[in-house]
Amino acid sequence: MRLPPSLALPGAAVLAGAGALLLAAAARPDRQPFPAPPGYVVPSDSLIPAGPLGDAIRRGRAIMIATRDSLPGHAGNRLDCTNCHRGAGTLLSSGPWIGSYASFPQYNARAGRVIRIEDRVNECLRRSLNGTPLAPDGREMNDVVAYFAFLSTGIPHGPRAPWLGYRRLVLRAGDARAGGRLYSRACARCHGANGEGSAAAPPVWGPQSYAIGAGMARLGTAAAFIRWNMPFDRPGALTDRQAFDVAAFILSHPRPDTPGKEKDWPNGDAPEDAAYSTFAAHRPR
């Protein structure tokens, strides 16, 4: 099933707030919708060492939480990294960074090559934050990598941890019209009637949202994020179908372009829900 290429959603966050239809009672926004697997441990701050390394770890976490303020020359929209990776990258439901450092270097199908964790950080800046890369050996990058390394405390270096990314749903098409009605009732209060965002939540489409080349521009990724993380004060309240409907609605709106996206997945292995076509997709086999 090839999904419409016009669909594209937020690499950093989606749907906060909620309407009366969905919210009978507020729940803790940091709760996990499913139990953590063996080996998934959030290291305590008491393990952060004193001295320069500890300072770098804390600065790295601050950059992730307040990316726009910390990297004004590199963040090109109104998103912060923790809009998509909630809990400073520690929530299992929200693309955790626990163990991410231990899984690099790794092969990346979108790039068609083996990449380092610094490459992955810069791709998020370029795509999800519609910005510009950091110097791979600069202080800001070193701080971010130090934080990721801290979150891998106790996790053996090697294969990609099975909990990284979002807990996937069976891919299906969404009903954007139904999703629009649900968005108006449950999401617009925080994300704005026109997806422009607010003080409480980031934009989910338009010039200040994530670019089309972001991972959140894929319907399956967006739906998985919405399903397990939204509404913000009652995560997990939506059904799979509702998550895909809302994702389809959000992704039907325009967002910034990602220059060079046509070169993605150079080996012709683009995912079924890729939001755009690539050169490799048109090569004769």
Side-chain angles (χ1 to χ4, degrees):
M1 175 180 67
R2 171 62 66 178
L3 297 167
S6 61
L7 297 182
L9 190 164
V14 202
L15 305 44
L21 176 74
L22 295 172
L23 297 182
R28 288 182 46 160
D30 62 344
R31 69 171 183 155
Q32 295 284 5
F34 30 81
Y40 186 88
V41 177
V42 180
S44 168
D45 276 13
S46 65
L47 297 176
I48 298 178
L53 177 56
D55 293 342
I57 291 170
R58 294 182 188 278
R59 286 196 305 266
R61 179 165 58 188
I63 289 172
M64 296 290 96
I65 294 172
T67 316
R68 291 170 292 163
D69 294 335
S70 301
L71 304 174
H74 297 274
N77 56 25
R78 287 176 48 205
L79 299 177
D80 294 312
C81 294
T82 51
N83 288 140
C84 288
H85 304 277
R86 298 173 55 221
T90 65
L91 294 189
L92 183 62
S93 63
S94 189
W97 295 321
I98 303 292
S100 60
Y101 177 84
S103 72
F104 281 87
Q106 64 178 230
Y107 177 76
N108 181 275
R110 187 171 64 187
R113 60 185 175 86
V114 173
I115 65 172
R116 302 171 300 162
I117 195 167
E118 292 88 351
D119 299 318
R120 189 68 184 88
V121 170
N122 275 334
E123 280 298 276
C124 283
L125 282 171
R126 191 169 74 88
R127 295 166 182 268
S128 297
L129 272 68
N130 194 31
T132 57
L134 294 171
D137 58 351
R139 172 174 153 171
E140 293 92 347
M141 180 66 80
N142 286 339
D143 291 345
V144 169
V145 173
Y147 178 56
F148 287 159
F150 171 70
L151 291 180
S152 284
T153 299
I155 297 176
H157 204 101
R160 187 177 189 271
W163 56 72
L164 292 177
Y166 297 104
R167 185 175 182 180
R168 310 302 289 190
L169 305 172
V170 176
L171 188 63
R172 56 177 294 166
D175 183 338
R177 187 169 298 180
R181 293 191 294 268
L182 183 55
Y183 179 92
S184 296
R185 295 194 298 267
C187 316
R189 186 180 68 177
C190 291
H191 289 284
N194 296 309
E196 71 276 18
S198 69
V204 289
W205 68 79
Q208 290 300 313
S209 189
Y210 56 92
I212 194 171
M216 277 292 180
R218 291 174 51 188
L219 182 65
T221 303
F225 180 89
I226 294 167
R227 175 67 177 90
W228 305 119
N229 294 279
M230 296 294 147
F232 183 77
D233 43 6
R234 199 180 177 197
L238 299 175
T239 65
D240 290 6
R241 177 186 291 273
Q242 288 173 321
F244 274 104
D245 290 349
V246 174
F249 172 72
I250 291 173
L251 295 177
S252 69
H253 292 81
R255 62 192 60 261
D257 190 23
T258 300
K261 66 183 184 300
E262 66 279 357
K263 299 177 184 178
D264 289 348
W265 295 289
N267 295 322
D269 52 355
E272 198 172 2
D273 59 344
Y276 47 88
S277 186
T278 66
F279 286 151
H282 300 290
R283 291 179 191 146
R285 294 185 181 277

